[in-house]
Structures are given as C-alpha cells and as structure tokens.
C-alpha cells in the first residue's frame, strides 16, 4: 500500500496491525498522528503504549494485558529491530521468532483488543515482515519526488488562500531541499509573510527561505566558474556566519566537485548521469544543474580542486593549516 491509499483508508477505519517505514519521516509522523486521532482518547500506560528496541520484550505482555476501562489498546513500536536481518545468520533472532510466532498464533486476540503499529526507518524482508504483509498493512513511505512535493505544498497554500506557481515552488525545492518537514516549515513562513489572498514569488523565496548548504555550494561554484573571487569568498563568509562547521563546508565542497567531475566524465562517455552520480529519484531534477556547472570547468580544473581539498583536509588535521585560511587560499588560487 502506498501513502495515498493508506491516508484514504485511515479516514474510514483502523486495521489491527500496521508496518510503516521509509525515509519520509514527516509523512510517517502524519500517518501515526492520524491513527492516534482516529483511535480516540489515549491514556499512556493504560490504553496507549510506546515501545522501542530497548523494551521490545514488553510487547507480548502489553498485548495480553487488558486496557482497563477501554475497548482497545494502541501500541506503537518504534525502531524495534524486529525487521532487521542478522547478516551472519539466515534464521530469525530469538525475539523475532518469539514475536512472530505469537502474532501468528494470536491474530484473533490482536484483532479484538489491540491496534499494533510498527514504525521503522529501514526494514529487511524477513519472516516478521512477511507475517505483517500477510496479516496487516505494510506501507513504504519514501521521499517524494519534486512534482509530488509541489502538489503537497500547493495544497497547503490553497488551504490558507495563498497563491503560488509551480515555478516558484520548484525554486523553493531547489533552495531548501527535498525534505518535506523543512519545506512545510518554509512554506508556512512564506504564507505568513504574504498573507491571505497574497502570492508567493521567487523573490519572496530568495528573501525568506532558508538555504540548504548544498544549494549555497551551487552558488559558490557559479562564482568560481565565472572566476569571481569576491563573490565566492562572500558565499563562504555567509556560510561561516550561519555557523556551518568548516569541516562540513570542506566535505560538501569536495562531494560537489566530485559530482561535477563524474558528471563531466559521464557526458563525455555518453553515460547516464543519474546512474553515475547515484542520484535518488527525488534528486533527478539536479541533473541539469550539474551538467551546466560541469561545463564551467575543464576536467583538469576539477581534478586540481579535488586534490587541493584532499590536501587541505589532511594538513588541517595534522595542524599544518587552518581550514578557513586553506579554503580561502584554494578559492583565490583557482580564480
């Protein structure tokens, strides 16, 4: 089941068992909130139990203990470890086998008195997963693609009677990244700024939206490609002013120039850029930007920058040079 199907079903009824997993934590949290709201009054320790890997052994006793004064009990189990394979063994672990056998043998008890929700970031398709897939609802909730993000953000804007174009929303995604929680925070800020019946523009986004460091590195690279030393240093100063750690800036710069080099090679050899850069489905919109920026540099230029950043990383760690001074030196020498 995908998220949209799950969302529609939660509007009508609750099943006895759910497994929700994936990278889009915001949507997973929204699904859990919807389950809790649909369930009704919650009293922690009585008809509402929260477990994790540290107390997963309490799962079976909590299923068996009645919710005194209530018809059902909601049990939410987060990052339980039940859906992980032991790489050294094919057989399930002791707790996986115990929980799996219990659920399989007591479906009627669970149906009658429990709503059981497993929330995981990653899962392996082990025996417990197979059991939940047969007897409950399994929903993988991965990061949304840009067009899906645009529709989500547009829906929020329409609820507040605020106008916004797809172009503006795509620009917001380029600036602030593809994390839905971050984007929701940014769109609410912009909605508040323009007010009811207002229109969010790209100018508003440039003025108010928080830029991810990866987006800022694109700006710095544009300045480098144009040999504009002052602008490149200004972007670096802004990152430092925003309290981005220098080591993080160095690593992000290295990864960015590595992708530009791989992109340049992929284009030259007529290879798929998405595969060469190992981009996720929600990052494919960056291909055009990587191609454009890689065209600013010769292959030797990118090799030079990569070598210089590696040397700076090494020399800063042994105390030969300060990272700040080293980064400025590299940018100035290149320009």
């Amino acid at each position: 089941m995908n998220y949209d199907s799950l969302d529609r079903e939660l509007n009508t009824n609750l099943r006895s068992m759910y497994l929700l997993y994936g990278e889009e934590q915001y949507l997973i949290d929204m699904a859990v909130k919807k389950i809790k709201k649909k369930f009704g009054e919650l009293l922690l320790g009585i008809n509402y139990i929260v477990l994790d890997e540290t107390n997963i052994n309490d799962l079976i006793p909590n299923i068996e203990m009645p919710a005194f004064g209530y018809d059902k009990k909601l049990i939410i189990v987060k990052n339980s470890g039940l859906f992980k394979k032991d790489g050294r063994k094919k057989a399930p672990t002791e707790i996986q086998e115990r929980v799996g056998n219990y659920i399989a043998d007591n479906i009627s008890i669970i149906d009658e008195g429990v709503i059981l929700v497993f929330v995981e970031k990653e899962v392996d398709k082990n025996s417990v997963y197979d059991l939940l897939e047969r007897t409950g609802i399994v929903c993988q909730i991965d990061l949304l693609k840009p067009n899906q993000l645009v529709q989500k953000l547009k829906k929020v804007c329409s609820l507040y009677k605020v106008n916004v174009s797809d172009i503006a929303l795509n620009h917001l995604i380029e600036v602030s990244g593809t994390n839905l929680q971050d984007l929701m925070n940014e769109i609410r800020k912009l909605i508040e700024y323009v007010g009811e019946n207002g229109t969010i523009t790209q100018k508003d986004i440039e003025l108010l939206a928080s830029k991810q460091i990866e987006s800022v590195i694109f700006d710095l690279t544009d300045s480098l490609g144009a040999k504009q030393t002052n602008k490149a240093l200004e972007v670096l100063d802004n990152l430092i002013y925003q309290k981005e750690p220098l080591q993080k800036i160095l690593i992000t710069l290295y990864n960015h120039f590595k992708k530009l080099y791989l992109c340049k090679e992929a284009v030259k050899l007529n290879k798929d850029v998405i595969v060469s850069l190992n981009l996720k489905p929600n990052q494919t919109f960056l291909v055009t930007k990587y191609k454009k920026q890689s065209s600013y540099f010769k292959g030797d230029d990118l090799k030079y920058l990569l070598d210089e950043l590696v040397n700076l990383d090494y020399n800063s760690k042994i105390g030969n040079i300060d990272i700040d001074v080293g980064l400025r030196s590299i940018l100035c020498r290149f320009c």
Side-chain angles (χ1 to χ4, degrees):
M1 182 177 287
N2 60 33
Y3 176 78
D4 289 335
S5 300
L6 173 69
D7 190 50
R8 286 193 296 271
E9 176 163 306
L10 291 178
N11 287 328
T12 57
N13 67 304
L14 289 179
R15 302 284 190 97
S16 298
M17 287 185 288
Y18 295 88
L19 169 58
L20 311 177
Y21 72 98
E23 294 183 81
E24 188 46 81
Q25 191 59 49
Y26 178 83
L27 291 181
I28 292 175
D29 291 342
M30 291 299 292
V32 172
K33 284 180 183 177
K34 204 158 194 174
I35 290 171
K36 289 164 72 174
K37 185 177 180 180
K38 188 76 176 175
F39 183 85
E41 183 183 3
L42 297 171
L43 191 60
L44 189 62
I46 303 297
N47 74 334
Y48 176 47
I49 307 295
V50 180
L51 304 173
D52 58 26
E53 191 170 15
T54 64
N55 55 3
I56 188 62
N57 284 314
D58 295 337
L59 176 59
I60 294 174
N62 272 293
I63 292 173
E64 294 179 332
M65 183 176 292
F68 300 104
Y70 296 89
D71 292 333
K72 285 198 172 188
K73 179 186 293 187
L74 175 62
I75 302 177
I76 296 178
V77 188
K78 298 182 177 181
N79 302 316
S80 64
L82 291 174
F83 303 91
K84 290 289 185 184
K85 284 182 180 176
D86 187 334
R88 296 163 297 177
K89 302 176 183 176
K90 290 186 178 180
T93 64
E94 186 271 333
I95 185 64
Q96 287 172 340
E97 188 168 18
R98 183 150 49 89
V99 169
N101 288 339
Y102 180 85
I103 292 174
D105 294 339
N106 294 277
I107 294 293
S108 60
I109 292 175
I110 295 171
D111 286 343
E112 185 177 341
V114 177
I115 304 292
L116 184 56
V117 183
F118 293 98
V119 179
E120 306 282 338
K121 187 167 185 180
E122 296 178 351
V123 303
D124 293 320
K125 294 187 178 181
N126 59 11
S127 58
V128 186
Y129 178 97
D130 292 339
L131 174 63
L132 264 291
E133 196 171 39
R134 291 195 307 272
T135 58
I137 295 294
V138 174
C139 184
Q140 182 175 359
I141 307 176
D142 284 329
L143 296 172
L144 300 181
K145 295 178 181 179
N147 64 316
Q148 295 172 308
L149 291 170
V150 166
Q151 294 309 310
K152 289 282 183 190
L153 297 175
K154 211 164 191 176
K155 188 175 180 181
V156 174
C157 289
S158 67
L159 290 173
Y160 289 90
K161 298 180 181 178
V162 167
N163 304 306
V164 65
S165 68
D166 289 5
I167 293 172
L169 289 174
N170 276 305
H171 183 62
L172 176 62
I173 292 167
E174 287 186 17
V175 166
S176 299
T178 56
N179 181 282
L180 185 54
Q181 179 66 73
D182 292 341
L183 289 170
M184 285 295 183
N185 293 337
E186 296 302 326
I187 204 68
R188 287 178 182 131
K189 181 167 60 179
L190 288 159
I191 287 170
E192 189 73 23
Y193 177 71
V194 301
E196 188 174 325
N197 297 320
T199 300
I200 297 171
T201 66
Q202 290 192 54
K203 185 177 179 181
D204 298 326
I205 292 167
E206 283 296 321
L207 178 66
L208 294 175
S210 303
K211 284 192 172 185
Q212 277 201 336
I213 184 172
E214 288 81 7
S215 175
V216 179
I217 294 300
F218 271 107
D219 295 340
L220 188 151
T221 306
D222 281 335
S223 301
L224 274 185
K227 303 285 184 170
Q228 295 173 330
T229 310
N230 289 341
K231 284 190 176 181
L233 292 175
E234 184 181 337
V235 174
L236 178 61
D237 285 334
N238 286 336
L239 282 171
I240 295 170
Y241 178 76
Q242 292 166 13
K243 302 190 184 305
E244 288 287 357
L246 284 163
Q247 189 67 35
K248 181 180 177 181
I249 296 172
L250 172 59
I251 292 169
T252 307
L253 266 174
Y254 176 83
N255 288 332
H256 185 73
F257 286 118
K258 182 180 178 181
K259 284 183 177 176
L260 292 184
Y261 179 76
L262 292 173
C263 178
K264 198 169 190 69
E265 289 296 300
V267 171
K268 185 169 70 176
L269 298 173
N270 200 27
K271 290 185 176 180
D272 189 329
V273 174
I274 294 173
V275 174
S276 297
L277 300 187
N278 195 27
L279 297 177
K280 295 180 180 179
N282 67 322
Q283 296 175 316
T284 54
F285 72 97
L286 292 171
V287 168
T288 303
K289 295 183 75 172
Y290 281 123
K291 282 184 176 180
K292 182 180 178 182
Q293 287 203 335
S294 67
S295 69
Y296 297 158
F297 305 90
K298 297 177 182 177
D300 289 342
D301 291 337
L302 292 169
K303 283 183 180 179
Y304 164 80
L305 285 165
L306 289 170
D307 288 342
E308 288 293 296
L309 292 169
V310 169
N311 290 334
L312 173 58
D313 181 56
Y314 173 76
N315 284 302
S316 66
K317 286 176 178 174
I318 63 174
N320 285 346
I321 190 171
D322 178 76
I323 293 183
D324 188 7
V325 174
L327 281 172
R328 294 174 190 279
S329 176
I330 291 170
L331 298 182
C332 290
R333 286 203 305 274
F334 178 79
C335 289

